[in-house]
Amino acid sequence: MKKPVWGLLLLLAACRPDPGPADYTGQELPGNLDPDGGTEPDPQLLPGPFPYEAGEARLMVGIFYETGRSQEIILDNVDSNFYLYENTVYVESDPDHIEGRSADRIVQNGKPWMGFGVHWKQTHNFDAWKTLHVSMKSSDAAFANVKIGMSSGTGTSEKGNPLAASGYGWVNDGEWHHLAIPVADFVAAGLKLNDVSSPFTFAAEGGTTGQSLLLDNLYFTAN
């Protein structure tokens, strides 16, 4: 499944102006997949390292996740958007995946920094969600020092709270790594849990054009 590739000016991990509407023209938004795979499961439809179980609380935030969930906040180009910050990267579908039918390859555009994120115009209360899960794979130097963040506040008051992914099991060694980051750690870094405007931001240092990272399996759990 092809996932969205959009670009727009956005500042990293700091107060930023309202970026305005994203341009989804000609792009395909992530669709819903049958988490059970139907009566004849697609062998490419992988359940992920920690498969969803019926009755479990699991939140999808609109991208980088395809299978079972109890709740979803879709990307609708109205209240929920996905932004590539200053076109520092582009995103393409990749068959090397550990969940759903494909992963996303994040490709460096040769800039001195890079980043992207999911952003909401209306904030959400995240009291019910305790852990951010995400899986990544790379061995390229540009992605040695990845930071994963969440933001609170909107407009000029929006502030990011990035954390070094290396503190949660990320190693830039060419293998898949499954990170579980306590939301409480973002709160300790300054996140306002009842005023979340971005559930996921990604930042890294610049690198050579074409260097890339695979990203998949992004969701939140209540434990």
Side-chain angles (χ1 to χ4, degrees):
M1 177 179 65
K2 183 179 179 182
K3 298 179 183 176
V5 181
W6 309 304
L8 196 64
L9 173 65
L10 204 63
L11 302 180
L12 266 176
C15 296
R16 65 176 180 84
D18 183 349
D23 180 8
Y24 294 177
T25 305
Q27 303 296 342
E28 179 184 347
L29 291 176
N32 293 326
L33 296 178
D34 180 357
D36 297 323
T39 56
E40 296 182 3
D42 182 343
Q44 293 182 308
L45 182 61
L46 303 180
F50 306 102
Y52 175 75
E53 296 182 8
E56 174 187 343
R58 182 173 293 197
L59 171 66
M60 173 187 179
V61 293
I63 196 169
F64 305 129
Y65 186 73
E66 299 174 82
T67 53
R69 61 268 195 181
S70 61
Q71 186 175 339
E72 177 179 358
I73 302 174
I74 64 170
L75 295 172
D76 61 7
N77 194 23
V78 178
D79 294 316
S80 181
N81 300 280
F82 175 66
Y83 297 119
L84 304 180
Y85 305 152
E86 295 188 2
N87 291 314
T88 53
V89 297
Y90 64 90
V91 184
E92 58 188 18
S93 183
D94 195 283
D96 182 359
H97 65 295
I98 49 86
E99 184 276 332
R101 292 195 177 95
S102 67
D104 286 278
R105 183 171 292 277
I106 313 302
V107 186
Q108 161 68 261
N109 262 337
K111 306 290 186 178
W113 62 274
M114 71 183 91
F116 57 89
V118 176
H119 291 266
W120 298 324
K121 291 183 180 178
Q122 303 296 325
T123 62
H124 292 255
N125 188 318
F126 252 56
D127 283 342
W129 304 107
K130 306 303 182 186
T131 307
L132 184 160
H133 300 263
V134 66
S135 299
M136 303 188 298
K137 174 182 177 180
S138 181
S139 60
D140 289 345
F143 298 95
N145 298 306
V146 170
K147 290 188 176 181
I148 301 299
M150 297 179 67
S151 300
S152 51
T154 58
T156 57
S157 67
E158 182 171 348
K159 190 177 188 306
N161 306 100
L163 301 172
S166 59
Y168 302 91
W170 169 240
V171 183
N172 197 43
D173 60 359
E175 301 294 331
W176 279 107
H177 294 278
H178 312 300
L179 284 61
I181 306 177
V183 173
D185 289 5
F186 294 110
V187 173
L191 180 74
K192 295 180 180 179
L193 199 58
N194 65 348
D195 194 33
V196 174
S197 54
S198 174
F200 181 79
T201 63
F202 177 103
E205 298 168 357
T208 305
T209 300
Q211 291 188 334
S212 65
L213 172 143
L214 290 173
L215 196 151
D216 201 2
N217 197 44
L218 169 64
Y219 61 89
F220 287 83
T221 58
N223 51 33

